[in-house]
């Protein structure tokens, strides 16, 4: 399976099943689809099918290079992984391992974000703070069910977790106290809206949190419209921006993200990304809203062409800024071609409901934070364990081969079938496809690879200059 | 090659043999929380 596309002057060929990526000239770009079924197709046929625009000599040379790629296993590679999925998933169903946990430290919030899937922290439930006892039990559950996994991830999430920060501190201390005994290493993450962020919290986060996620949507008018304070006269943007700038600098511009959501109200979201960069943030994630399509801020099919243009525009701007020596990392354009995940990971997806679970303030377990409060997805609790193993099995078996539309998609090994919650929200089935999300995901992958090609070319040019 | 520049990538087929240790980050934990991005995760298997 191959995917060919042109972006920003580059002709890119993705060999989907090997993971190889080639940047090619026009003639190879034209010939690759013509040789997919027959590597030995004659020059005459290739010449005819390309309208006679290339010479026999050029066609012969290009065809020989295509043949070489195919022979070394980096073009026209067949998908041979499907049989392995059952092997992986059977094993996971038989001996489930939990390695990541989202702890809902506070089902309460001090902002009134319009699109919050946590419904201002309440998650279709009641306002509540997690007690130390529940949190401790949750960490014990994670340790006990993590098999021989060493790295365990725990995200302190909400609502707004800084509204219950003493418990966060106690749980970090408890987790650390258990690491040696159980041969585990906790990686803690804190996601915060910044309102209560102070020196004490920042100092603690810099010592203990492997990642800090700072929620901000971008330009002041966008932030204040979608993420208002309870007092309409007080701008959340004004409160949080200086704190976030300080936090980013104190972490040496690494191991954090400023993270925003874009909606129907800011389909020109690239401006928000660039605004955040102009504010001095180098690690940026701005992502499409996920919500009921009936909401006025929901993204629509009509928005898609503009959103795709925005990603193209953003990609070009990022290349420009990077070439100027202004570092910027946009989360959704990150792609690790060389050191990325193995095929087993790419076949297993995000791990929600199997490797990854969410725990409410009172200890209920859900497949992930997006499902919290959806009673049909209540798996169990941290005291009695998971009762609904049928739901866990369904999530464990959810992958690119369980979704018919994913099988034929070039993006399948980058998104691994996408987000189960998005699928469920849009189709009522975790094995469904959230079409709008898929359209955006495909564009992001194309842009991400184009950026790699452009930066590789720039590095090569710089080397030649130096030589 | 004259017509083709190949970017350095990890060969999925080879990773069938060495992969699957499960020590890598869970996709959603890093930043997104609303979408699945697996391709940007880094492999943590030192023996890959």
């Amino acid at each position: 399976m191959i995917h060919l596309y042109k972006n920003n002057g580059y002709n890119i060929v993705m060999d989907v099943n090997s993971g190889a990526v080639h940047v090619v000239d026009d003639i190879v770009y034209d010939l690759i689809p013509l040789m997919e079924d027959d590597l030995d197709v004659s020059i005459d046929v290739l010449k005819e099918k390309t309208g006679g625009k290339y010479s026999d000599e050029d066609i012969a040379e290009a065809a020989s290079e295509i043949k070489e790629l195919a022979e070394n296993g980096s073009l026209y590679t067949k998908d041979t992984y499907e049989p392995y999925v059952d092997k992986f998933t059977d094993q996971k169903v038989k001996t489930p391992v939990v390695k990541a946990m989202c702890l809902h430290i506070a089902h309460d919030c001090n902002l009134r974000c319009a699109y919050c899937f946590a419904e201002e922290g309440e998650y279709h439930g009641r306002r509540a703070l997690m007690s130390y006892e529940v949190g401790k039990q949750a960490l014990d559950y994670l340790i006990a069910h993590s098999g021989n996994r060493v790295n365990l991830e725990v995200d302190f999430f909400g609502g707004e977790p800084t509204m219950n920060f003493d418990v966060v501190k106690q749980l970090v201390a408890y987790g650390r106290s258990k690491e040696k005994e159980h041969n585990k290493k906790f990686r803690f993450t804190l996601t915060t809206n910044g309102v209560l962020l102070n020196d004490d919290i920042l100092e603690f986060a810099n010592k203990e949190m492997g990642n800090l996620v700072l929620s901000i949507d971008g330009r002041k008018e966008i932030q204040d419209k979608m993420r208002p304070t309870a007092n309409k006269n007080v701008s959340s943007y004004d409160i949080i921006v200086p704190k976030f700038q300080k936090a980013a600098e104190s972490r040496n511009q690494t191991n954090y993200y400023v993270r925003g959501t874009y909606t129907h109200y800011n389909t020109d979201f690239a401006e928000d990304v660039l605004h955040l960069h102009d504010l001095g943030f180098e690690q940026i994630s701005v992502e499409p809203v996920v919500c009921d399509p009936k909401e006025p801020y929901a993204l629509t099919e009509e928005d898609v062409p503009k959103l795709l243009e925005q990603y193209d525009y953003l990609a070009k701007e990022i290349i420009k800024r990077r070439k100027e020596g202004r570092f910027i990392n946009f989360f959704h354009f990150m792609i690790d071609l060389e050191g990325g995940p193995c095929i087993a990971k790419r076949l297993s997806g995000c791990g929600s409901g199997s490797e990854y679970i969410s725990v409410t303030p009172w200890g209920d377990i859900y497949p992930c934070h997006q499902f919290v409060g959806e009673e049909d997805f209540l798996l169990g609790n941290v005291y009695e364990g998971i009762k609904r193993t049928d739901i866990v099995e369904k999530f464990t078996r959810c992958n690119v081969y369980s979704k018919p539309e994913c099988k034929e998609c070039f993006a399948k090994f980058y998104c691994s079938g996408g987000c189960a919650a998005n699928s469920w929200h849009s189709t009522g089935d975790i094995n469904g496809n959230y079409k709008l999300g898929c359209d955006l995901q495909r564009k992001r992958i194309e842009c991400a690879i184009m950026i790699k090609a452009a930066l590789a070319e720039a590095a090569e040019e710089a080397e030649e200059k130096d030589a | 090659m004259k017509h083709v520049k190949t970017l350095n990538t990890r060969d999925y087929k080879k990773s069938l043999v060495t992969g699957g240790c499960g020590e890598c980050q869970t996709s959603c934990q890093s930043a997104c929380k609303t979408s699945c991005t697996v391709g940007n995760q880094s492999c943590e298997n030192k023996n890959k």
Side-chain angles (χ1 to χ4, degrees), chain A residues 307-320:
Chain A
L307 299 175
L308 301 182
E309 275 174 29
Q310 285 285 293
Y311 281 119
D312 280 334
Y313 161 63
L314 182 60
K316 286 181 196 166
E317 190 63 26
I318 285 173
I319 294 166
K320 181 171 160 264

Side-chain angles (χ1 to χ4, degrees), chain A residues 314-380:
Chain A
L314 182 60
K316 286 181 196 166
E317 190 63 26
I318 285 173
I319 294 166
K320 181 171 160 264
R321 292 182 181 211
R322 291 277 292 267
K323 283 183 176 172
E324 289 167 359
R326 300 167 66 200
F327 185 80
I328 170 171
N329 178 36
F330 180 62
F331 182 71
H332 269 171
F333 285 165
M334 280 169 73
I335 201 159
D336 192 345
L337 295 177
E338 275 180 275
C342 61
I343 196 72
K345 167 79 172 176
R346 291 175 195 269
L347 292 173
S348 353
C350 76
S352 64
S354 55
E355 294 178 336
Y356 169 61
I357 53 174
S358 276
V359 179
T360 66
W362 47 94
D364 283 349
I365 300 175
Y366 286 90
C368 86
H369 54 285
Q370 293 270 359
F371 288 99
V372 165
E374 302 291 349
E375 293 309 306
D376 288 347
F377 290 92
L378 175 61
L379 301 179

